[in-house]
């Protein structure tokens, strides 16, 4: 019996505690957690520095109001601005709220209403961000939706160009679509997109809620390309599990978000800021990011060579520690068998295994995960073969 709305297809695992990349259930069974709360616990569970920072703030002050000066907000905003192309920050409590702020700011600043997003994108579950999400199954039953969102297939510049008219305020993208199947935008598409934006004077919003905060080995994934977005949104990894989000924007947008135009009671709460400050101080160190890039590239190479000859695996792709293994069949059973063997991995669409280890994962843990994945995929391949033969 559960008193919860059944909005999640919950697994059998009851997590009780964790440390680093290890999650422990109510029976004391240990798992390698290669989900990280969906790209949230980038520093792993129970990180000593984040814990200490939040504990200190917990005993000092929980909440005032955004009418008060909040030192932590200035510190976290400075860290975000110093490590991005943005100049100002607005704090929210979640990813969807960060995107809501982005959509509102883009409309207000341009005095235009149309926003182009990509098919199979994911931008959140509030009304505007659900509408921004280019997936019919997420819209279903909620209409009429927010007006003026249109969708272009990814990596198709002509399709995108055909949607542009004088009413377009912004284009909103994920550099790597997370929920949409770990789909990367191609470098040539991004280059052409940039030219279109300049030509038509359209704002670029990059949703870095899953890809940001070091996940791809850079502070933000857009930094792998020659891009300078007008607006960047973050959330998931920002608080390592403490709910917090942020919208970052260029100086030219500052005067459209003046007092009373937008706000949030909890956004930028001192507790959230203590977590975010500790996270960014750690993750934005160049030596930390360099190690993430090295380890993730090596891991991706190892995955590729492990599954090179495997007919069940169509493609291994990713950027940093956001990795997808696209299979020829639905992956539910692979995920379940991995859990039984002590490895937690996620899905992204029916056929893609999504792998999101914490950024502090060790080489030994990465190798263990490959062993389990390879064992499970072998097993499932054999079963597939024998069911075809039978
Ligand atoms: C998770 C996610 C969101 C939504 O964030 P919430 O905190 O669940 O509102 C938006 N965009 C992307 C790319 C995400 O991965």
């Amino acid at each position: 019996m559960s008193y919860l709305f059944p909005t999640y297809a919950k697994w059998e695992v009851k997590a009780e505690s964790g440390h680093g990349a290890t999650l422990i259930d109510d029976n004391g069974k240990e798992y390698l957690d290669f989900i990280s709360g969906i790209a949230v616990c980038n520093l792993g569970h129970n990180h000593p520095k984040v814990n200490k920072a939040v504990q200190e703030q917990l005993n000092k002050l929980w909440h005032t109001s955004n009418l008060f000066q909040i030192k932590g907000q200035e510190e976290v905003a400075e860290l975000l601005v110093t490590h991005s192309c943005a100049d100002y920050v607005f704090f929210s409590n979640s990813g969807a709220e960060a995107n809501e702020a982005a959509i509102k700011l883009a409309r207000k600043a341009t005095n235009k209403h149309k926003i182009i997003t990509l098919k199979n994108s994911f931008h959140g579950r509030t009304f505007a961000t659900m509408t921004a999400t280019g997936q019919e199954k997420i819209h279903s039953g909620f209409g009429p939706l927010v007006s003026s969102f249109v969708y272009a297939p990814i990596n198709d510049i002509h399709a995108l160009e055909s949607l542009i008219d004088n009413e377009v305020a912004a284009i909103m993208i994920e550099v790597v679509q997370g929920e949409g199947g770990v789909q990367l935008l191609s470098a040539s598409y991004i280059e052409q997109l940039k030219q279109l934006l300049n030509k038509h004077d359209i704002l670029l919003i990059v949703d870095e809620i899953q890809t940001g905060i070091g996940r791809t080995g850079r502070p933000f994934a857009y930094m792998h390309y020659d891009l300078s977005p007008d607006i960047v949104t973050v959330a998931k990894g920002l608080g390592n599990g403490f709910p917090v989000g942020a919208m970052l924007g260029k100086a030219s947008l500052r005067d459209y978000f003046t007092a009373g135009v937008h706000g949030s009671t909890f956004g930028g709460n001192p507790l959230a800021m203590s977590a975010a400050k500790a996270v960014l101080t750690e993750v934005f160190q160049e030596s930390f990011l360099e190690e993430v890039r090295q380890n993730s590239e090596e891991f991706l190479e190892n995955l590729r060579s492990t599954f090179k000859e495997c007919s069940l695996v169509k493609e291994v792709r990713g950027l940093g520690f956001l990795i997808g293994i696209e299979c020829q069949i639905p992956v539910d059973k692979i995920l379940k068998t991995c859990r039984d063997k002590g490895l937690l991995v996620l899905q992204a669409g029916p056929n893609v295994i999504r792998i999101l280890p914490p950024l502090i994962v060790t080489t030994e843990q990465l190798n263990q995960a490959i062993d389990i994945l390879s064992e499970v995929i072998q097993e499932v391949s054999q079963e597939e073969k024998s069911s075809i033969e039978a």
Side-chain angles (χ1 to χ4, degrees):
M1 171 67 202
S2 169
Y3 294 105
L4 303 174
F5 273 107
T7 45
Y8 308 99
K10 286 180 180 291
W11 295 340
E12 66 289 351
V13 180
K14 270 192 200 138
E16 286 245 323
S17 64
H19 52 86
T22 304
L23 196 70
I24 302 159
D25 76 7
D26 58 338
N27 297 317
K29 178 175 169 181
E30 293 197 358
Y31 298 86
L32 269 180
D33 183 358
F34 276 37
I35 297 176
S36 308
I38 315 190
V40 168
C41 305
N42 285 359
L43 289 174
H45 301 290
N46 246 315
H47 190 277
K49 288 185 185 163
V50 183
N51 280 16
K52 183 164 175 278
V54 176
Q55 271 158 9
E56 276 174 15
Q57 189 60 46
L58 201 59
N59 293 325
K60 238 193 246 169
L61 183 69
W62 287 22
H63 182 83
T64 53
S65 142
N66 276 311
L67 293 173
F68 291 77
Q69 304 282 336
I70 298 172
K71 184 163 154 251
Q73 291 186 357
E74 296 295 341
E75 292 170 334
V76 176
E78 187 178 350
L79 281 161
L80 289 168
V81 163
T82 311
H83 293 88
S84 71
C85 63
D87 303 293
Y88 294 100
V89 177
F90 173 84
F91 287 109
S92 65
N93 309 292
S94 68
E97 285 173 74
N99 282 341
E100 281 282 336
I103 291 162
K104 285 179 71 176
L105 179 58
R107 280 193 175 184
K108 186 131 186 131
T110 58
N111 201 22
K112 294 176 181 179
H113 56 84
K114 204 160 156 182
I115 311 240
I116 304 176
T117 68
L118 299 181
K119 292 196 173 151
N120 284 321
S121 56
F122 185 80
H123 298 298
R125 299 281 195 167
T126 62
F127 248 95
T129 62
M130 167 183 75
T131 309
T133 295
Q135 299 186 48
E136 262 162 43
K137 68 169 196 278
I138 286 179
H139 301 162
S140 173
F142 292 115
L145 302 177
V146 176
S147 64
S148 305
F149 283 87
V150 290
Y151 316 99
I154 73 163
N155 292 330
D156 181 343
I157 204 69
H158 298 296
L160 180 72
E161 191 165 17
S162 72
L163 294 174
I164 294 178
D165 60 25
N166 292 332
E167 285 309 325
V168 177
I171 292 175
M172 186 163 173
I173 60 167
E174 298 155 89
V175 170
V176 183
Q177 292 188 332
E179 305 301 313
V182 191
Q183 298 287 357
L184 284 82
L185 298 189
S186 74
S188 64
Y189 178 77
I190 288 180
E191 197 47 47
Q192 289 169 305
L193 168 73
K194 210 172 74 183
Q195 281 161 20
L196 275 184
L197 295 170
N198 287 339
K199 184 173 154 200
H200 297 278
D201 204 15
I202 293 169
L203 297 178
L204 176 63
I205 305 171
V206 180
D207 179 341
E208 294 262 9
I209 291 163
Q210 189 153 157
T211 53
I213 320 296
R215 175 56 49 190
T216 69
R218 304 268 176 210
F220 305 94
Y222 79 80
M223 293 175 166
H224 290 272
Y225 304 92
D226 179 24
L227 266 188
S228 180
D230 301 284
I231 298 175
V232 175
T233 53
V234 291
K236 291 195 166 87
L238 183 56
N240 209 54
F242 204 103
V244 58
M247 180 200 67
L248 289 58
K250 287 268 175 79
S252 57
L253 300 170
R254 180 180 180 273
D255 293 341
Y256 298 97
F257 255 14
T258 48
V261 169
H262 191 58
S264 162
T265 299
F266 294 126
N269 168 295
L271 282 172
M273 292 299 101
S274 66
K277 184 185 165 190
V279 167
L280 297 184
T281 303
E282 201 68 9
V283 170
F284 284 174
Q285 288 176 58
E286 192 39 46
S287 56
F288 180 93
L289 291 166
E290 174 61 31
E291 200 165 321
V292 173
R293 290 196 293 274
Q294 268 174 23
N295 291 345
S296 61
E297 276 161 30
E298 201 178 312
F299 182 56
L300 189 65
E301 278 311 305
N302 289 345
L303 280 172
R304 283 197 172 121
S305 61
T306 303
F307 295 115
K308 202 168 62 193
E309 306 290 330
C310 175
S311 59
L312 203 74
V313 172
K314 214 167 142 186
E315 192 186 21
V316 180
R317 56 178 179 258
L319 193 62
F321 276 131
L322 170 50
I323 293 171
I325 302 179
E326 183 169 350
C327 296
Q328 303 284 3
I329 57 164
V331 296
D332 320 52
K333 191 162 170 221
I334 297 175
L335 262 53
K336 169 79 171 75
T337 314
C338 282
R339 288 202 291 281
D340 293 343
K341 293 186 192 285
L343 173 67
L344 303 172
V345 286
L346 199 63
Q347 211 162 334
N351 290 8
V352 179
I353 304 168
R354 184 170 23 154
I355 306 176
L356 297 158
L359 309 180
I360 48 85
V361 68
T362 64
T363 312
E364 194 192 340
Q365 289 168 328
L366 290 167
N367 292 336
Q368 267 175 330
I370 291 187
D371 289 345
I372 297 174
L373 272 167
S374 138
E375 196 182 307
V376 170
I377 290 178
Q378 292 292 333
E379 258 177 51
V380 173
S381 288
Q382 287 306 326
E383 283 168 29
E384 283 290 305
K385 272 190 202 133
S386 45
S387 76
I388 291 166
E389 280 157 17

